[in-house]
Amino acid sequence: MIQTQSKDFGMVGLGLRREMLDELLEHVPNQVDFLEVAPENWLKLGGRFKKQFKTLTDANNFVCHGLSLSIGSPEPLDVEFIKSLKVFFEEHNIKIFSEHLSYCSGTGHMYDLMPIPFTQDAIAHVAPRIKQVQDILEQQIAIENVSYYGAPGQQLSELEFTNTILEQADCKLLLDVNNIYVNSINHGYNAQAFLTGLPSNRIAYGHVAGHYNEADDLIVDTHGADVINPVWELLDKAYEVHGVFPTLLERDFNIPTMNVLTKELDIIHGLQAKHFDSTVSKQRA
């Protein structure tokens, strides 16, 4: 297994979904160095599911990728929820917590990830909220570049907005390669230029996933299909530019058998091995 930049949880991960639970309790494939869950889906579970989950977290490296922090919301942060996350992370030895650079609530919950306006006012609102979360959790968190389908009131580019948030909040980046590809098609920008403009030292780990082509100029980020070649090529470029970083495969529905998923994990391992020597050289320089 490649050890460089391992962040102490391994190099290749898989998003754990409830449908995979029985199979993974029997055997976690050798290709899987870490697993990722949405804490909201497991936080309040009791009984058999809680015991099964604890069995997995005791034996494997886990990270958490949140769904409902709503970091861009105009409403105050749910401090009690964040405190409950801290307890959950300690109980299950969660290596890192990530969330979306978006919002999903106002006076009510929208159950979808809405785009934060790319404005200076939004930066001034969001960065202190990320700092507040980090203060409560007593750890840095990672913020994911998200797919979006509209940019209301845009004053800055997505890249300028993202980089400024990372710097002002002093947080890490969850680099979602598929989201870069999706946005580059939907909004007509150069995916490699966006990728190259991100700060290497902020990357905690990455995501790859599949999507759905609604039209030639509209892709929907579904996590319901195989990763396509242009996204693999973009991941290859990411390792070339930023060095090898831990990378996780997401699959939310149309979930195939584990032996099919491991074929995609093998691709990640292969791309990481390709760039391993150059990454080590950069680290030593």
Side-chain angles (χ1 to χ4, degrees):
M1 179 175 65
I2 296 173
Q3 296 296 331
T4 184
Q5 293 188 1
S6 67
K7 314 295 185 188
D8 84 0
F9 53 83
M11 291 306 297
V12 177
L14 178 65
L16 171 63
R17 304 298 178 257
R18 196 80 58 83
E19 297 92 327
M20 305 175 186
L21 192 55
D22 289 340
E23 194 170 2
L24 290 176
L25 282 165
E26 291 257 344
H27 172 67
V28 176
N30 293 333
Q31 292 95 332
V32 178
D33 300 320
F34 67 101
L35 294 160
E36 180 191 78
V37 293
E40 294 88 345
N41 293 337
W42 301 88
L43 192 61
K44 295 182 179 179
L45 285 181
R48 177 170 63 92
F49 281 127
K50 182 176 182 179
K51 290 178 182 177
Q52 289 177 327
F53 184 63
K54 189 68 166 69
T55 297
L56 278 176
T57 59
D58 282 347
N60 299 276
N61 293 318
F62 267 79
V63 299
C64 276
H65 185 46
L67 299 171
S68 60
L69 187 61
S70 199
I71 202 66
S73 172
E75 295 298 305
L77 288 167
D78 186 341
V79 171
E80 292 307 310
F81 168 65
I82 300 168
K83 289 179 178 178
S84 71
L85 287 178
K86 184 177 182 182
V87 173
F88 180 81
F89 297 161
E90 291 171 352
E91 179 183 1
H92 295 287
N93 192 27
I94 302 300
K95 303 298 185 181
I96 192 167
F97 173 56
S98 62
E99 250 289 359
H100 302 83
L101 188 54
S102 62
Y103 70 101
C104 58
S105 64
T107 54
H109 205 292
M110 290 178 281
Y111 300 99
D112 207 348
L113 298 173
M114 306 299 291
I116 301 172
F118 299 150
T119 67
Q120 292 291 350
D121 285 346
I123 292 169
H125 176 67
V126 170
R129 286 165 67 88
I130 295 173
K131 286 185 174 181
Q132 183 183 353
V133 174
Q134 294 182 142
D135 287 345
I136 296 170
L137 293 178
E138 297 183 281
Q139 67 179 68
Q140 273 187 310
I141 68 172
I143 294 296
E144 180 189 23
N145 58 294
V146 297
S147 57
Y148 62 98
Y149 305 94
Q154 182 170 357
Q155 297 171 354
L156 305 168
S157 71
E158 179 192 353
L159 182 61
E160 290 170 325
F161 180 78
T162 302
N163 283 345
T164 306
I165 289 286
L166 294 173
E167 185 67 28
Q168 291 195 12
D170 191 21
C171 63
K172 293 294 186 180
L173 170 67
L174 166 51
L175 197 167
D176 192 305
V177 176
N178 183 61
N179 286 350
I180 294 175
Y181 178 78
V182 167
N183 291 344
S184 73
I185 299 298
N186 291 345
H187 303 289
Y189 66 66
N190 186 294
Q192 289 198 10
F194 183 96
L195 177 70
T196 302
L198 293 169
S200 302
N201 64 328
R202 293 282 177 185
I203 299 171
Y205 69 110
H207 276 173
V208 288
H211 53 253
Y212 176 71
N213 292 321
E214 183 75 29
D216 289 343
D217 58 351
L218 177 59
I219 295 177
V220 181
D221 179 34
T222 60
H223 304 170
D226 295 346
V227 180
I228 66 169
N229 284 335
V231 174
W232 289 128
E233 290 166 3
L234 199 58
L235 180 62
D236 187 18
K237 184 66 176 181
Y239 293 153
E240 177 187 325
V241 171
H242 298 295
V244 176
F245 51 84
T247 305
L248 178 132
L249 174 67
E250 292 184 291
R251 190 66 175 252
D252 289 348
F253 67 97
N254 293 331
I255 298 173
T257 57
M258 195 58 60
N259 66 321
V260 174
L261 290 173
T262 53
K263 290 178 181 177
E264 292 195 296
L265 298 178
D266 284 336
I267 295 174
I268 301 173
H269 277 289
L271 290 173
Q272 291 181 343
K274 173 184 174 182
H275 293 281
F276 174 69
D277 289 342
S278 62
T279 297
V280 172
S281 297
K282 288 177 183 177
Q283 290 176 339
R284 289 173 178 169

XYZ file of all heavy atoms in Angstrom, residues 62 84 104 274 282:
41
model
N -11.989 4.882 9.418
C -13.215 5.541 8.961
C -13.030 7.051 8.911
O -12.345 7.641 9.754
C -14.383 5.232 9.909
C -15.201 4.043 9.512
C -14.751 2.760 9.773
C -16.423 4.184 8.872
C -15.491 1.643 9.418
C -17.172 3.089 8.505
C -16.714 1.808 8.780
N -22.765 16.628 19.279
C -23.069 15.197 19.176
C -22.145 14.518 18.169
O -21.780 13.344 18.333
C -24.537 14.980 18.793
O -24.797 15.352 17.449
N -28.174 23.610 3.133
C -29.351 22.763 2.900
C -30.503 23.141 3.820
O -31.464 22.386 3.952
C -28.990 21.282 3.084
S -28.327 20.895 4.712
N 1.304 4.920 -10.199
C 1.941 5.614 -11.325
C 2.650 6.881 -10.866
O 3.722 7.235 -11.380
C 0.872 5.940 -12.370
C 1.331 6.810 -13.525
C 0.168 7.140 -14.447
C 0.572 8.122 -15.535
N -0.591 8.481 -16.409
N 8.793 15.096 -4.727
C 8.314 16.445 -4.395
C 8.350 16.681 -2.895
O 8.688 17.776 -2.424
C 6.889 16.651 -4.914
C 6.784 16.793 -6.420
C 5.327 16.915 -6.852
C 5.193 16.975 -8.357
N 3.778 17.032 -8.800
